[in-house]
Amino acid sequence: MTTPVYQNFINGHFLKNQSGETFAVKNPATDDVIYYVEVADAFIQNAAIQSAKQGFAAWSTMSPIERSRILLKAVALLRERNDLLAKIEVLDTGKPWQEAECVDVQTGADVIEYFAGLAPAQVGQQQMVGEDFYYTRKEPLGICAGIGAWNYPLQIACWKSGPALAAGNAFIFKPSEETPLGAIKLAEIFIEAGVPAGVFNVVQGAAEVGQWLTQSADIEKVSFTGEVGTGKKVVASAAGSLKDVTMELGGKSPLLVFDDADISQAVSAAMLGNFYTQGEICTNCTRIYVHKNVYQQFIDELKTRTEENIIAGDPLDPNVNFGALISKKHQQLVMSYIDKGISEGAALLTGGKTLSPASAPNGYFVAPTVFIDCTDDMTIVKEEIFGPVMSVLTFDDEDDVIHRANDTHLGLAAGVFTKDIKRAHRVIHQLQAGICWINSYGNSPAEMPVGGYKQSGIGRENGIETLDHYTQTKSIYVGMTNIESPF
Ligand code: NDP
């Protein structure tokens, strides 16, 4: 069987590039090349802009309710094709089927559905100014771009295109070159649902293609998901044409476990927030601060459950709940952090090695890893690892732990476990993070805005306010009286 080659998706169909350049995509669980993708060369880039201009002309003049109706058809198709799309995500990312089957496509579809419902309700203002008055219109921005990370490829494409399209914009999306297929399938679905050609285009390639998007003067906004360092480059480049930006970046989020907490629940949260999607989630609570009084109980249960309940293996096996990391390079990076943790004096409670499960012997697995005896100055406690590596620390004073939790330039997420309702709110209000959970961790419904404080991001995704981020306000003053002029 020949290995498939996918082209860029422009103006409602696949378009061949002129350079002939392609790149290979590997299944992280097998190390096999599963398909090739054509790089978006100058010809494709130009075609994408022309296509998006035409798409915008057609889409932005439709009424919000017409757009909503079409987007809801796309939502139905996404749900109908859940298993097919979930399998693509498993093969591209290495994440377990049991997650992708119920999360990746569903949470993507939910967000498009949410914004499709919201768009017709978006209204302007009207106010009298004497006998004159003004009114405002919420108008789309024009052509928007999305640049995605590799951990939730389809979901990220949906979270960015959902509000953008609902508000009447055209979109050019660049998935990560590690995971390019989900966005192509979304593009096909949009066309099938009736979204006009050119409204959603997919360009493929690595950083250079992303850079072109951030530089293009024809693009009004870029919504980026990725590392803090890349985000800074994107903002700098977008400044050249004063683009609007949304930045969804990395984190090193704290979870505070007080001594009155339900410890089993807190362990569940810590495990979900470090080992779900084999640790490749931006909001992960990779710094767990446990009150000294419950520390031993916490780490005993954590060790037992990590060693007994995590099943690594072929991600397509529905019993497997722990998959492979995205690439060999990333596996090596995560292992280098583990080595650093050991050399800086942290103790391994469990894990700390690569895995080669019988059902996926060539996969890029790293064992679920827990470090104890950690201190705030260790590299593993300060830097985002983006793998299954948890650092456990202790505390005994509320103010002190809040100070330690906030002592970072990142501020994506935070959590607190306590049965004391006053403490829960008091503490969470002082934590410098954009996405917070009390006695819970990781849930991110379409209705809830998400985004980072400090260097973890700019702007928000999801929630009502995001629709505003894809529109601009036009103010229109209406003269009802004669103009008074000194001339
Ligand atoms: P990267 O920053 O490496 O890449 C993100 C995207 O940017 C990719 O599509 C990449 O292309 C592209 N890119 C790389 N360089 C440039 C550039 N100079 N200009 C424009 N685009 C560029 O992130 P990862 O893909 O490694 O994703 C992991 C990171 O994403 C973690 O830090 C994680 O915390 C963060 N993340 C944040 C989320 C949030 O909502 N806050 C959610 C998910 C992840 P290519 O990969 O093809 O080279």
Side-chain angles (χ1 to χ4, degrees):
M1 210 177 76
T2 53
T3 313
V5 183
Y6 291 97
Q7 296 171 343
N8 294 273
F9 196 94
I10 309 292
N11 205 24
H13 55 82
F14 289 102
L15 185 63
K16 191 164 175 44
N17 69 6
Q18 287 185 343
S19 66
E21 198 188 338
T22 62
F23 60 93
V25 178
K26 282 185 168 187
N27 177 347
T30 62
D31 194 39
D32 294 331
V33 171
I34 45 177
Y35 58 91
Y36 293 90
V37 179
E38 289 190 1
V39 174
D41 57 7
F43 166 73
I44 295 289
Q45 294 173 7
N46 185 43
I49 296 290
Q50 296 317 317
S51 157
K53 281 184 179 167
Q54 285 168 27
F56 180 70
W59 187 239
S60 59
T61 47
M62 286 167 90
S63 73
I65 213 147
E66 279 176 288
R67 291 199 293 261
S68 172
R69 215 173 280 140
I70 293 170
L71 291 174
L72 290 174
K73 279 190 199 146
V75 169
L77 289 170
L78 279 164
R79 297 224 168 95
E80 220 173 276
R81 291 185 199 158
N82 182 72
D83 288 7
L84 186 98
L85 297 167
K87 188 171 173 194
I88 287 171
E89 296 300 81
V90 172
L91 297 177
D92 272 9
T93 64
K95 68 172 64 186
W97 164 260
Q98 63 165 251
E99 290 182 16
E101 187 264 333
C102 61
V103 172
D104 291 58
V105 190
Q106 302 293 335
T107 52
D110 285 353
V111 166
I112 299 177
E113 188 172 39
Y114 174 76
F115 286 108
L118 209 55
Q122 207 183 21
V123 289
Q125 298 169 329
Q126 182 273 330
Q127 192 175 16
M128 297 307 295
V129 187
E131 286 176 48
D132 295 352
F133 68 96
Y134 78 89
Y135 66 96
T136 62
R137 283 163 53 83
K138 293 280 186 187
E139 296 188 347
L141 301 172
I143 305 174
C144 301
I147 301 176
W150 41 256
N151 59 341
Y152 279 80
L154 179 68
Q155 186 208 62
I156 290 172
C158 292
W159 283 22
K160 294 190 186 305
S161 62
L165 266 55
N169 300 282
F171 211 72
I172 304 177
F173 185 73
K174 188 200 90 65
S176 164
E177 63 175 336
E178 319 262 19
T179 56
L181 192 48
I184 297 176
K185 293 293 160 192
L186 178 63
E188 289 177 332
I189 284 175
F190 278 141
I191 289 294
E192 216 177 311
V195 174
V199 174
F200 184 76
N201 307 275
V202 181
V203 292
Q204 303 282 7
E208 312 78 63
V209 178
Q211 280 161 3
W212 158 67
L213 285 171
T214 61
Q215 283 162 5
S216 169
D218 290 306
I219 293 173
E220 301 296 336
K221 174 185 172 95
V222 59
S223 175
F224 172 83
T225 298
E227 289 172 14
V228 174
T230 321
K232 288 179 185 173
K233 289 184 198 158
V234 168
V235 172
S237 173
S241 50
L242 280 182
K243 280 184 191 29
D244 192 349
V245 293
T246 297
M247 293 283 129
E248 294 287 341
L249 308 177
K252 190 73 194 176
S253 303
L255 176 70
L256 278 45
V257 181
F258 284 89
D259 56 358
D260 63 344
D262 179 328
I263 296 303
S264 289
Q265 285 287 300
V267 170
S268 294
M271 289 180 71
L272 277 169
N274 279 276
F275 304 143
Y276 203 73
T277 315
Q278 55 287 332
E280 296 167 327
I281 296 187
C282 52
T283 50
N284 273 357
C285 47
T286 45
R287 294 184 287 147
I288 311 272
Y289 293 89
V290 184
H291 195 283
K292 279 184 176 149
N293 294 346
V294 289
Y295 174 70
Q296 197 57 47
Q297 185 190 350
F298 181 90
I299 61 167
D300 286 349
E301 182 170 338
L302 177 63
K303 180 173 164 63
T304 306
R305 286 173 59 182
T306 301
E307 289 175 355
E308 290 180 3
N309 299 350
I310 289 188
I311 307 165
D314 176 3
L316 284 171
D317 176 346
N319 294 314
V320 163
N321 59 19
F322 189 83
L325 296 182
I326 189 69
S327 63
K328 184 101 202 148
K329 192 171 152 216
H330 193 54
Q331 183 193 37
Q332 284 163 353
L333 178 71
V334 173
M335 285 309 299
S336 75
Y337 272 109
I338 290 174
D339 292 344
K340 226 174 254 176
I342 294 165
S343 69
E344 290 180 9
L348 273 175
L349 180 72
T350 184
K353 54 180 193 260
T354 58
L355 293 176
S356 186
S359 59
N362 300 323
Y364 318 129
F365 292 86
V366 170
T369 297
V370 180
F371 277 110
I372 54 172
D373 299 340
C374 299
T375 52
D376 293 328
D377 58 343
M378 288 177 177
T379 307
I380 53 165
V381 178
K382 285 161 71 174
E383 293 183 12
E384 183 184 47
I385 302 174
F386 220 57
V389 183
M390 181 193 310
S391 297
V392 184
L393 305 104
T394 58
F395 75 94
D396 55 13
D397 177 73
E398 181 181 306
D399 289 338
D400 182 52
V401 76
I402 291 169
H403 172 75
R404 289 166 65 198
N406 286 335
D407 190 17
T408 162
H409 62 280
L410 300 171
L412 189 59
V416 56
F417 270 76
T418 174
K419 287 186 188 139
D420 178 341
I421 190 169
K422 289 186 189 162
R423 173 155 59 197
H425 294 286
R426 182 174 68 231
V427 170
I428 216 84
H429 292 178
Q430 293 176 78
L431 292 176
Q432 296 161 354
I435 314 166
C436 294
W437 289 280
I438 294 173
N439 296 330
S440 182
Y441 209 88
N443 272 348
S444 196
E447 298 88 335
M448 185 173 99
V450 288
Y453 277 21
K454 301 198 253 187
Q455 292 186 25
S456 287
I458 301 173
R460 293 292 175 268
E461 288 192 326
N462 300 346
I464 290 177
E465 66 188 271
T466 296
L467 200 58
D468 281 341
H469 298 171
Y470 281 98
T471 57
Q472 50 196 341
T473 303
K474 177 175 281 176
S475 297
I476 300 154
Y477 187 97
V478 181
M480 301 293 285
T481 51
N482 287 336
I483 295 173
E484 280 177 31
S485 170
F487 308 114

